[in-house]
Amino acid sequence: MTTTSRTAAQPAPGAARRGFHPGIALAVIAGAQLMVVLDATIVNIALPHIQSALHFSTTDLSWVLNAYTLTFGGLLLLGGRAGDILGRRRVFITGILVFSLASLLGGLATSTGWLLAARALQGVGGAIASPTALALITTNFAEGPARNRAFGVFAAVSGSGAAVGLLLGGMLTSWLSWRWVLFVNVPIGILLALAAPLYITESERQPGRFDVAGALTSTAGMTSLVYGFIRAAQQGWTDSVTIGAFVAAVVLLSVFLAIEARSRQPITPLQMFRNRNRAGSYAIMLGLTAAVFGMFFFLTLFVQQVLGYSPLKAGLAFLPVSGVIIVAAQVVARLVPSVGPKRLMVAGSLLASGGLAWLSRITATSGYLDGILGPTLLFGLGMGFLFVLLTIVAVSGVSREESGAASSLLNAMQQVGASLGLSILVTVFGTASRNEATDLVGKFLASASPAVRAQFQRTGQLPRQISAQILAHGIATAFQFAVLFALLALVISLVVIQARPTGPPRDAGTPVPSETAT
């Protein structure tokens, strides 16, 4: 008699109510992850409509994205810890419900403060659901080919979520309204919350307590750091508020590290970084997601403001990237046992670096086919290689008791990399654009007729061709800087990552449902 049949006869506490169905369980986990990940970008294309409807200033509009990614990234570690202590399935469902409620409130927003508060609450829900989603794979799938395939699906969803969000955002904005980029989460979240207890097995609850001080100082520190970069892009590096934000970030993050080093149950177990493969995977994720979010942010501006694409057409323009990431992730998941992670990571880093370097050649005369499609496909291929490998390496060799912390750290690096990297690239973009504008406006006024100069002084508007040149120059410069992120991943892959990760230790955790024993 197998363990599976015994379980069917006498369900263990926390077992799925309708038994374990790998396909359905994975669909629920991946569906929740997709909903959470794509919400970081689904509002991108709708931002002009949100600005018009709720009267955002251009500066405040950027916080529609930052309010989500900062609370998401800052509280991910606490969310992973909550799953370990309270039970991953229980916390997973709670996160989905909070996310759905926040989406409903955001869609109903009638003011800027209301929407920003809802977006921050969405981040809280995502921070609760996302790390437990990844950890539930280790609870529900045996280590080996089955878990690798599940990680492949999870990584493909995580990697393609940004592109899917842009496509879906374009469709909803064009066909319905900007409010539906938030409303769409409500029925999906309710369905996932209802399905989870039926098909996902609960994890064992681990004794422990919450490191609230660590969560608050890390979130506040990262918020201050990101704000400093955004402020620098607008007011310059010598602005007193900019300097104050960076000083506050250094103090808060230093306090966070001190708390973690002394805490008996830290939210960020620093010993996780002692494994060179795991530490390397965290560093690579930090840099690459900075490049990913930067790419989608700037190319969204380019295709709409330079190429003149509609929201729907702009979303469709990124569909090939999503397809490449999904296919590459599935192929890599099958190659890992025979090839090993190191070679595939090096290949992925090279492809990503090449794609970004190609994108840095973009100009105001570049078209979609000759300037965007090729480099984004190359970059997407590299991302498909790397996302699945980073997921596998980050949790390899971690006991079930610490898998929540390991997976939440990886997710935190992804969100922190997105927020911090985008703010850095926006700073580079802003500086390059201002310098280019000074040069081009001077040349324009020198050659323009008195009537044209007088009109410019009244309206401040430049000819579309010059505006496109300024925008394209800033984007190209930002991509040049983004290449450094990918090259950092290449160096870490070559120097830090070992050819084969250390095998996982046996632990006393309950066997996952896919394991059988006679």
Side-chain angles (χ1 to χ4, degrees):
M1 188 178 192
T2 65
T3 298
T4 303
S5 60
R6 284 199 303 269
T7 302
Q10 297 179 340
R17 295 176 191 170
R18 294 188 180 176
F20 181 67
H21 298 270
I24 299 178
L26 183 58
V28 173
I29 293 170
Q33 179 67 3
L34 178 62
M35 182 176 68
V36 170
V37 170
L38 65 81
D39 220 76
T41 59
I42 193 172
V43 300
N44 274 4
I45 293 178
L47 286 177
H49 298 265
I50 294 174
Q51 183 177 23
S52 176
L54 299 183
H55 310 293
F56 273 93
S57 68
T58 303
T59 302
D60 290 340
L61 191 64
S62 65
W63 287 102
V64 176
L65 303 179
N66 291 331
Y68 178 78
T69 56
L70 286 171
T71 54
F72 191 177
L75 298 177
L76 267 170
L77 301 174
L78 188 63
R81 185 65 174 156
D84 291 340
I85 296 174
L86 302 176
R88 292 167 191 160
R89 186 180 67 186
R90 180 181 294 105
V91 172
F92 175 73
I93 294 171
T94 301
I96 291 175
L97 292 176
V98 171
F99 188 90
S100 301
L101 174 62
S103 299
L104 176 63
L105 294 174
L108 296 173
T110 57
S111 67
T112 58
W114 183 343
L115 180 60
L116 293 181
R119 287 288 286 169
L121 185 60
Q122 272 190 307
V124 173
I128 297 172
S130 185
T132 49
L134 180 55
L136 280 171
I137 291 180
T138 66
T139 302
N140 287 264
F141 294 87
E143 184 143 8
R147 188 180 294 181
N148 284 352
R149 286 193 295 270
F151 279 146
V153 172
F154 188 92
V157 166
S158 299
S160 62
V164 173
L166 290 169
L167 172 61
L168 187 58
M171 294 169 62
L172 293 173
T173 303
S174 295
W175 296 344
L176 297 171
S177 79
W178 68 266
R179 297 182 183 275
W180 277 94
V181 302
L182 299 169
F183 284 149
V184 70
N185 296 318
V186 179
I188 298 173
I190 293 174
L191 181 62
L192 293 173
L194 292 174
L198 300 178
Y199 298 105
I200 295 177
T201 298
E202 179 63 285
S203 64
E204 289 188 348
R205 297 174 65 173
Q206 305 296 329
R209 52 186 174 182
F210 298 106
D211 180 13
V212 177
L216 293 178
T217 52
S218 64
T219 303
M222 287 308 306
T223 301
S224 183
L225 185 61
V226 168
Y227 178 77
F229 279 110
I230 295 175
R231 178 81 180 186
Q234 299 166 343
Q235 303 295 330
W237 293 96
T238 58
D239 176 69
S240 59
V241 177
T242 300
I243 296 172
F246 284 126
V247 171
V250 171
V251 172
L252 287 167
L253 293 176
S254 298
V255 172
F256 165 69
L257 291 176
I259 291 173
E260 300 310 283
R262 297 178 182 179
S263 176
R264 292 182 178 180
Q265 295 181 342
I267 194 175
T268 307
L270 299 182
Q271 70 268 20
M272 288 289 177
F273 294 92
R274 294 174 185 169
N275 181 290
R276 60 186 294 171
N277 280 346
R278 191 171 303 115
S281 69
Y282 292 155
I284 292 172
M285 179 63 82
L286 185 71
L288 286 177
T289 50
V292 169
F293 276 76
M295 185 195 76
F296 284 122
F297 178 81
F298 289 117
L299 288 185
T300 300
L301 293 177
F302 186 86
V303 298
Q304 292 191 81
Q305 297 185 16
V306 178
L307 299 185
Y309 283 12
S310 67
L312 177 57
K313 190 174 181 180
L316 289 171
F318 295 103
L319 189 59
V321 184
S322 177
V324 167
I325 292 175
I326 292 172
V327 172
Q330 295 304 304
V331 172
V332 168
R334 290 169 171 78
L335 291 177
V336 172
S338 58
V339 180
K342 184 180 182 72
R343 294 177 182 175
L344 293 172
M345 279 187 170
V346 171
S349 300
L350 283 171
L351 291 169
S353 300
L356 289 170
W358 192 352
L359 279 171
S360 70
R361 298 173 60 86
I362 199 168
T363 67
T365 59
S366 298
Y368 176 71
L369 293 178
D370 63 339
I372 296 177
L373 181 60
T376 54
L377 290 179
L378 187 63
F379 181 78
L381 185 60
M383 290 299 98
F385 271 53
L386 288 163
F387 275 126
V388 64
L389 295 168
L390 295 173
T391 304
I392 292 173
V393 171
V395 299
S396 178
V398 179
S399 65
R400 285 183 177 86
E401 289 79 4
E402 293 186 325
S403 61
S407 59
S408 63
L409 268 175
L410 184 67
N411 279 275
M413 291 298 174
Q414 183 174 353
Q415 295 304 316
V416 169
S419 299
L420 184 58
L422 182 57
S423 65
I424 292 172
L425 294 179
V426 165
T427 303
V428 174
F429 166 83
T431 302
S433 297
R434 284 197 302 271
N435 294 339
E436 183 73 358
T438 300
D439 182 48
L440 291 182
V441 169
K443 294 179 179 178
F444 166 70
L445 293 177
S447 60
S449 64
V452 172
R453 286 198 296 269
Q455 182 180 7
F456 173 74
Q457 291 174 351
R458 287 195 308 272
T459 64
Q461 293 183 345
L462 291 167
R464 187 177 182 278
Q465 182 180 3
I466 294 179
S467 299
Q469 286 180 301
I470 295 171
L471 180 65
H473 177 77
I475 290 174
T477 306
F479 283 138
Q480 289 172 8
F481 197 89
V483 173
L484 298 178
F485 295 145
L487 290 177
L488 176 63
L490 176 60
V491 171
I492 295 173
S493 300
L494 287 169
V495 177
V496 178
I497 302 297
Q498 295 174 317
R500 295 205 177 264
T502 304
R506 300 302 299 174
D507 61 78
T510 302
V512 292
S514 54
E515 292 179 327
T516 59
T518 55

